[in-house]
């Protein structure tokens, strides 16, 4: 069974750093891209960026370029989303999602979501 | 890259059919048959319902169908059921750098 299991909820202060994770199982982790999707409270879905776990090549939405970093450790089938300096506006639910095919934003499996709360 | 445009809300009675539109541009929806639709119930992760405009993943009811004309894609749900009440999002390929753009979402209410 394909599963994406994300790390637990986080409460952070502005300016702090954070890395959340997404562990894939039940499939060949290096054969499918992983994307990260943001959902701010009461709002819609926003595509942030993606990674190819086989070579860690990434690309980002212009809206998120430079604000977050996506990485992966294929040895443990885990993708990451990290911030070096959080802002209150980063408060949101973050989902990882598997691409059904490379290049195409068709997301066939999703993680359960990680709620990030940034508050002083 | 701007978000795709969806109606904020639609409603229908059980057994009826509804259609949700998703309007983009010639740079995304209009150029590629790579539109997908997602259902999201409150507090849950999104679920893939339609991909490549009109294909259904295994396990998704055939009451869900998709189509596209020009820059507008559509999701139709026939024989509405109470369990269909959820938020629906479209997503389109938008080029090799931006890759994916979502619609703003539509709240479906089953009356």
């Amino acid at each position: 069974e394909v599963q994406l299991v994300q790390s637990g909820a986080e409460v952070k202060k502005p300016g702090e750093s954070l890395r959340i994770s997404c562990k894939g199982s039940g499939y060949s982790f290096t054969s499918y891209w992983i994307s990260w999707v943001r959902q701010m409270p009461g709002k819609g879905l926003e595509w942030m960026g993606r990674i190819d776990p086989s070579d860690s090549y990434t690309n980002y939405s212009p809206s998120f370029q430079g604000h977050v970093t996506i990485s992966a450790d294929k040895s443990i089938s885990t993708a990451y989303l990290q911030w070096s300096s959080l802002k209150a506006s980063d408060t949101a639910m973050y989902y990882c999602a598997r691409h059904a095919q490379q290049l195409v934003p068709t997301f066939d499996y999703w993680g359960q979501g990680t709620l990030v709360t940034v508050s002083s | 890259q701007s978000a795709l445009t969806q109606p904020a809300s639609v409603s229908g009675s059980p057994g009826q059919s509804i259609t949700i539109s998703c309007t983009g541009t010639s740079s995304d929806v209009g150029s590629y048959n790579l539109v997908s639709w997602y259902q999201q119930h409150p507090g849950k992760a999104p679920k893939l319902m339609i991909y490549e405009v009109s294909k259904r993943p295994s396990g998704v009811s055939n009451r869900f169908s998709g189509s596209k004309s020009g820059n507008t894609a559509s999701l139709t749900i026939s024989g509405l059921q109470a369990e269909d009440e959820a938020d629906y999002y479209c997503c389109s390929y938008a080029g090799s750098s931006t890759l994916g753009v979502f619609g703003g979402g539509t709240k479906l209410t089953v009356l």
Side-chain angles (χ1 to χ4, degrees):
Chain A
E1 179 194 7
V2 174
Q3 284 191 308
L4 295 175
V5 178
Q6 297 185 227
S7 50
E10 301 274 2
V11 179
K12 292 289 190 179
K13 290 180 167 45
E16 292 186 332
S17 63
L18 174 65
R19 188 176 77 168
I20 62 176
S21 66
C22 168
K23 183 174 178 60
S25 63
Y27 72 100
S28 173
F29 186 70
T30 54
S31 297
Y32 295 85
W33 293 1
I34 294 285
S35 272
W36 287 93
V37 176
R38 183 176 79 173
Q39 187 167 38
M40 298 178 76
K43 301 299 185 182
L45 304 174
E46 300 173 90
W47 181 75
M48 301 176 70
R50 66 90 182 170
I51 188 164
D52 180 346
S54 69
D55 61 8
S56 289
Y57 183 84
T58 55
N59 67 297
Y60 298 86
S61 162
S63 299
F64 293 92
Q65 179 84 47
H67 297 291
V68 297
T69 301
I70 297 172
S71 60
D73 184 341
K74 61 185 179 183
S75 70
I76 55 171
S77 301
T78 300
Y80 301 98
L81 177 66
Q82 67 182 67
W83 296 259
S84 58
S85 181
L86 286 160
K87 304 174 184 178
S89 57
D90 292 318
T91 294
M93 181 72 82
Y94 293 88
Y95 293 100
C96 63
R98 190 185 84 160
H99 287 242
Q101 292 176 270
Q102 291 190 359
L103 292 176
V104 177
T106 295
F107 307 113
D108 58 355
Y109 289 91
W110 293 68
Q112 83 277 19
T114 296
L115 181 61
V116 174
T117 303
V118 184
S119 174
S120 55
Chain B
Q1 186 72 38
S2 300
L4 307 177
T5 301
Q6 297 181 232
S9 63
V10 298
S11 63
S13 299
Q16 288 187 330
S17 294
I18 63 95
T19 296
I20 299 171
S21 62
C22 169
T23 301
T25 69
S26 57
S27 297
D28 38 63
V29 175
S31 288
Y32 310 98
N33 289 324
L34 294 173
V35 177
S36 51
W37 289 89
Y38 302 86
Q39 176 193 66
Q40 187 180 35
H41 287 111
K44 300 294 187 182
K47 174 187 176 183
L48 177 65
M49 304 302 285
I50 295 287
Y51 67 101
E52 293 177 12
V53 175
S54 60
K55 298 178 181 178
R56 270 190 316 275
S58 172
V60 172
S61 171
N62 60 9
R63 297 186 298 105
F64 291 82
S65 62
S67 62
K68 190 187 87 167
S69 178
N71 296 338
T72 298
S74 298
L75 173 71
T76 297
I77 308 173
S78 60
L80 269 180
Q81 299 179 0
E83 68 208 47
D84 300 331
E85 185 163 293
D87 293 326
Y88 291 85
Y89 295 91
C90 60
C91 181
S92 175
Y93 181 71
S96 59
S97 58
T98 300
L99 196 72
V101 58
F102 282 96
T106 298
K107 182 176 180 59
L108 169 61
T109 301
V110 180
L111 302 170

